[in-house]
Amino acid sequence: MVDVPRELVQYVARLLYAERRARGTRRNTRALTCFYQALLVLVWFRKAEDVTLLGAGFGISRATAYRYRDEGVAVLAAQAQDLHTALRRVAADGWSHVICDGKLFDCDRLTETTTSVKGDTIDAWYSGKHRNFGANIQAVMRPDGLPIWTSPAMPGHLHDTSCARQLGITAALNWSASQLDLPAVADSGYESTGHGIKTPVKQPTDGGQLAPDNRAYNRLLRGLRWQGERGFAILIGRWRTLRHTTVSPRRIGDIVAAALHLTHFEYKYLPESC
C-alpha cells in the first residue's frame, strides 16, 4: 500500500514505457512491468524504503531494484523544464514575483575534499553554516510556495550566492525582472546579485538602527519570502526519501528534480505537452 493516486502510478508507467520503447527493449524481457516498476519507484520516493528490501517485496534482485529505481529517477528528472521556460510560465499565469531560496539536502559523509578560499583543505560537501554534510539545491518558487524549478546539486561548502551565480540563476532572475516584469525576492544571502533580486537591507555595521523606510521594506520582504520555506517543505514533507540520501550527492539534484515533477503532477501543474 502506498498513498499516491493511481493516476500518478499510471503516468509514471507511461513514461517508463516510452523509455523502454526508445531503448528498443523487447516485450516480456523485464522482471517487472512498467506499472510495477513505477510503483516501486513511487514507494521508494514516498517511504524511503531500503532498496534491497523493496526489491525483495517485488520479487526482484537487489541489483535489478537499484537499476529500476535509477531508471525511474532519470526518466522523471528528464521531464523537468529549464529555468527560463519555468519563469515564462509563471509570468504568463499572472504572478507578480518569484521566490529564490537554497537548502542543504542531507547526505552521508564523504571523503571528497577541496581547497577553501583561504587555501585550506576542507570537506567539499560539508556546510559550516549547517554543520552537516549535504548538497546545496537552489529552487525558485511561485508566490504561493509551489516550487517551479530546482537546480543541480552543488557541494555543500558553497554559499547560496556562489551556487546561484555558477548555475546562472542570478542571470536568469535578473533577465525575468527586466524582460518579463517578474522580480525575485530572496534572503540576505543573495545580497548584491542584481537589481532584479530583492534582498533585505542589512543592519548598519556601527550598531545603529535601520531607517523606518528600510524597516518597512524588510518587513514587506519577509511577508513575501516565507512561502519559499513552504516550497521545500512541500517536497520534503511529501517525498520522504529527500530527507536523507545515501546515493552520491551529485545525483541529489536529479532526485529532487524527479520529486518536483511528481509534485507538479499532484498539483496539476504539468506542462500541456505532458
Side-chain angles (χ1 to χ4, degrees):
M1 299 291 291
V2 60
D3 56 341
V4 297
R6 185 178 182 86
E7 292 78 13
L8 179 57
V9 184
Q10 294 171 334
Y11 172 71
V12 177
R14 289 195 297 271
L15 294 178
L16 293 170
Y17 177 82
E19 177 67 15
R20 292 186 184 186
R21 297 288 75 78
R23 294 185 179 187
T25 304
R26 293 173 296 170
R27 294 180 182 274
N28 302 321
T29 58
R30 291 289 193 103
L32 294 180
T33 63
C34 293
F35 181 88
Y36 281 104
Q37 183 182 355
L39 191 60
L40 180 147
V41 171
L42 290 171
V43 169
W44 181 76
F45 268 105
R46 184 70 185 93
K47 303 178 69 177
E49 292 279 9
D50 179 84
V51 178
T52 302
L53 295 178
L54 188 59
F58 281 84
I60 58 177
S61 68
R62 177 175 182 267
T64 302
Y66 273 102
R67 187 171 68 252
Y68 280 5
R69 182 206 63 182
D70 293 345
E71 184 180 58
V73 170
V75 166
L76 288 168
Q79 308 303 313
Q81 292 183 326
D82 64 87
L83 180 53
H84 285 78
T85 302
L87 291 171
R88 287 191 185 97
R89 182 176 181 185
V90 173
D93 289 342
W95 294 99
S96 61
H97 63 279
V98 292
I99 305 166
C100 180
D101 201 1
K103 179 175 177 58
L104 190 78
F105 280 77
D106 187 53
C107 71
D108 284 351
R109 180 172 184 171
L110 300 172
T111 58
E112 182 180 350
T113 59
T114 187
T115 303
S116 69
V117 294
K118 297 181 179 179
D120 300 327
T121 300
I122 60 173
D123 291 308
W125 297 90
Y126 181 79
S127 170
K129 175 183 176 180
H130 299 89
R131 298 184 179 181
N132 197 9
F133 288 84
N136 187 308
I137 298 292
Q138 301 290 300
V140 178
M141 276 74 67
R142 292 190 323 193
D144 64 349
L146 179 67
I148 61 169
W149 179 85
T150 56
S151 74
M154 297 293 286
H157 78 276
L158 293 175
H159 193 271
D160 283 341
T161 303
S162 300
C163 295
R165 283 176 172 158
Q166 290 185 30
L167 295 170
I169 299 172
T170 56
L173 294 178
N174 283 303
W175 167 84
S176 69
S178 62
Q179 301 298 319
L180 304 176
D181 194 22
L182 187 72
V185 297
D187 59 33
S188 57
Y190 296 85
E191 186 183 24
S192 302
T193 50
H195 293 292
I197 304 174
K198 311 301 180 183
T199 58
V201 179
K202 289 188 175 180
Q203 293 286 342
T205 56
D206 59 4
Q209 288 190 345
L210 285 174
D213 288 350
N214 289 336
R215 292 202 299 270
Y217 175 81
N218 286 352
R219 180 172 294 182
L220 175 61
L221 280 185
R222 285 196 299 270
L224 297 175
R225 279 193 301 107
W226 70 273
Q227 290 282 18
E229 299 294 335
R230 178 175 182 266
F232 284 116
I234 289 174
L235 294 175
I236 296 176
R238 179 59 173 160
W239 311 111
R240 191 172 301 172
T241 195
L242 300 181
R243 300 176 188 178
H244 178 81
T245 180
T246 57
V247 304
S248 168
R250 296 192 183 277
R251 297 175 54 197
I252 293 177
D254 287 340
I255 296 173
V256 176
L260 176 65
H261 193 68
L262 296 174
T263 301
H264 283 177
F265 181 93
E266 295 193 333
Y267 279 75
K268 297 180 171 48
Y269 193 67
L270 292 183
E272 293 182 0
S273 59
C274 292

